[in-house]
Amino acid sequence: MQLPLDARLNEQIIMVPAGDGMREVLETTLFRPSGPGPFPLLLMNHGKQAGPARLQQRERFIYMATEFVRRGYAVMLPMRTGFARSTGTYRDFGCDMLANAQGQARDVLDALAYARRQDWVDADHIVVAGQSYGGMAALALATRAEPGVRGVLNFAGGLRVDAPGCDWPSALAKAFATFGAYSRIPSLWLYGANDAYFAPPLVQRLFHSFAGSGGKGELYAYGTFKRDAHLTLGSRDGVAVWLPATERFLEKIGMPVRQVYRVADPLPPPDTHFALQGDIAAVPYLAEQGRAAYRSFLGKATPRAFAVSASGAWGWAEEGESPDVRALASCQRGSSAPCRLYLVDESVVWPGDSGMGSGSAGAAGGAE
């Protein structure tokens, strides 16, 4: 589902020209402080989820964007060619990791050229970042001496290709050695110990390939993060992990780190003390299947939310952005009556039956 635009961050969606002859467009999310600028720029790049690129929805990295807007940055997040509502065809070079990274970096360069033409961008203070496949694309861009780009942030960068005959770790190491040999821009690498794609021995191999070829980078290898450190950047709780090291790097390369804009965190609904969160029998409207789902949900990580409806429907969401909105949407898809939040994080927020309509029991629920 697409989440609503965030007014706190002046979020908007723009279409950025790209490709040969600028005949393609990249669906791009823009966050920025209020006012005319010019603002230093964070150009952030997404990874690739399993499945067709076209089905991957617009990425926002809302927690990262919030921290950078607080520090006075504009943040651009382009969806690359063939992803989401960007036009063109996704570039796939199989096990050729260097070609894969360079193919994705073409779009990053087009987005960068667009940004430099905007009067709200301080073209002398730019950072390029990326997560997973986007981190590898950012390192590919760093082989060029791009004016105004002072550093690259590589969050769990790389690409895994599980195809017959593809020794993807070795292919990655070879590509990263090439990045290092032509590195022109300093980089910070951030990888967690329990990354589901890139385990610490592989991370060390990639970094040594890069640095051993002359690459200008520093590796921040942090410990385990929840169930999968590959998802640290998309987690609310991940900010405390990546932000301190990122601030040190930004300061080192002459980028702003002091908070200059106030962006309030969304207020959670108040705890109504309707019941203890572990009191499964107290959750209204649910049949046996729904109560089993709630029992399982209590083991999910925060941030999280669980919603119910008088129709008997239910829905939940954990981690990522706006789990409360996602839980309500998941519930509503199977409900003939309005859904309401029951639990948010550790708090029961159920207000009672006021405002709830009646409906038939036993409607299907789901998770988001």
Side-chain angles (χ1 to χ4, degrees):
M1 62 168 291
Q2 285 288 357
L3 296 170
L5 298 180
D6 194 328
R8 301 173 309 144
L9 304 173
N10 297 311
E11 181 181 6
Q12 63 182 120
I13 301 171
I14 59 177
M15 305 304 284
V16 170
D20 295 336
M22 301 289 108
R23 290 188 292 269
E24 307 294 348
V25 291
L26 307 178
E27 181 187 21
T28 301
T29 304
L30 173 63
F31 304 95
R32 56 178 174 173
S34 299
F39 308 109
L41 178 70
L42 172 70
L43 178 58
M44 177 63 191
N45 297 279
H46 62 86
K48 185 184 184 305
Q49 300 171 3
R54 180 63 62 204
L55 299 182
Q56 186 167 326
Q57 293 189 334
R58 178 176 64 93
E59 298 277 7
R60 300 167 79 222
F61 291 100
I62 195 73
Y63 303 115
M64 184 185 197
T66 299
E67 294 304 327
F68 273 83
V69 171
R70 282 174 171 153
R71 287 156 178 79
Y73 288 71
V75 181
M76 282 180 59
L77 294 93
M79 299 302 295
R80 298 187 299 275
T81 299
F83 287 89
R85 292 197 302 124
S86 296
T87 60
T89 303
Y90 169 64
R91 304 182 186 99
D92 184 0
F93 297 94
C95 203
D96 188 338
M97 296 298 184
L98 183 61
N100 282 326
Q102 291 172 333
Q104 299 302 304
R106 287 172 55 187
D107 292 335
V108 184
L109 287 166
D110 287 337
L112 182 60
Y114 171 87
R116 287 198 186 100
R117 296 194 297 269
Q118 309 310 307
D119 57 9
W120 44 266
V121 171
D122 176 354
D124 292 324
H125 292 84
I126 298 172
V127 173
V128 176
Q131 190 266 346
S132 195
Y133 199 5
M136 192 164 76
L139 288 174
L141 178 142
T143 61
R144 302 164 55 105
E146 287 296 318
V149 179
R150 299 187 173 220
V152 163
L153 296 169
N154 165 25
F155 294 93
L159 177 65
R160 178 170 178 162
V161 177
D162 292 314
C166 177
D167 180 4
W168 62 269
S170 295
L172 274 182
K174 183 179 178 180
F176 277 56
T178 301
F179 298 153
Y182 293 94
S183 173
R184 298 293 181 270
I185 302 169
S187 57
L188 173 66
W189 301 31
L190 301 97
Y191 291 79
N194 62 329
D195 190 300
Y197 290 89
F198 311 118
L202 177 57
V203 172
Q204 291 292 335
R205 180 182 179 186
L206 298 180
F207 185 74
H208 289 153
S209 295
F210 176 84
S213 298
K216 298 179 291 184
E218 55 184 280
L219 173 62
Y220 176 60
Y222 55 92
T224 59
F225 180 79
K226 296 190 174 182
R227 289 193 294 268
D228 183 1
H230 199 70
L231 307 178
T232 303
L233 196 62
S235 171
R236 178 191 68 187
D237 300 330
V239 173
V241 175
W242 61 261
L243 183 57
T246 298
E247 285 186 312
R248 290 192 294 270
F249 177 73
L250 292 173
E251 191 168 34
K252 191 180 302 182
I253 60 175
M255 296 294 292
V257 296
R258 186 171 62 89
Q259 293 193 40
V260 291
Y261 289 89
R262 184 178 180 274
V263 180
D265 290 323
L267 292 175
D271 192 326
T272 61
H273 306 288
F274 174 80
L276 297 176
Q277 64 167 296
D279 187 350
I280 296 168
V283 185
Y285 306 131
L286 297 184
E288 182 178 349
Q289 185 181 12
R291 297 195 187 282
Y294 181 74
R295 184 180 293 107
S296 175
F297 167 80
L298 291 176
K300 303 297 180 183
T302 58
R304 63 184 184 174
F306 194 94
V308 298
S309 164
S311 68
W314 47 269
W316 61 266
E318 67 169 336
E319 278 291 4
E321 302 172 13
S322 303
D324 52 347
V325 176
R326 289 157 44 219
L328 286 167
S330 177
C331 173
Q332 204 62 61
R333 283 196 292 269
S335 178
S336 57
C339 291
R340 297 281 293 273
L341 293 171
Y342 181 79
L343 186 79
V344 174
D345 288 343
E346 307 294 343
S347 299
V348 174
V349 300
W350 181 251
D353 291 337
S354 59
M356 297 295 295
S358 59
S360 59
E368 180 74 16

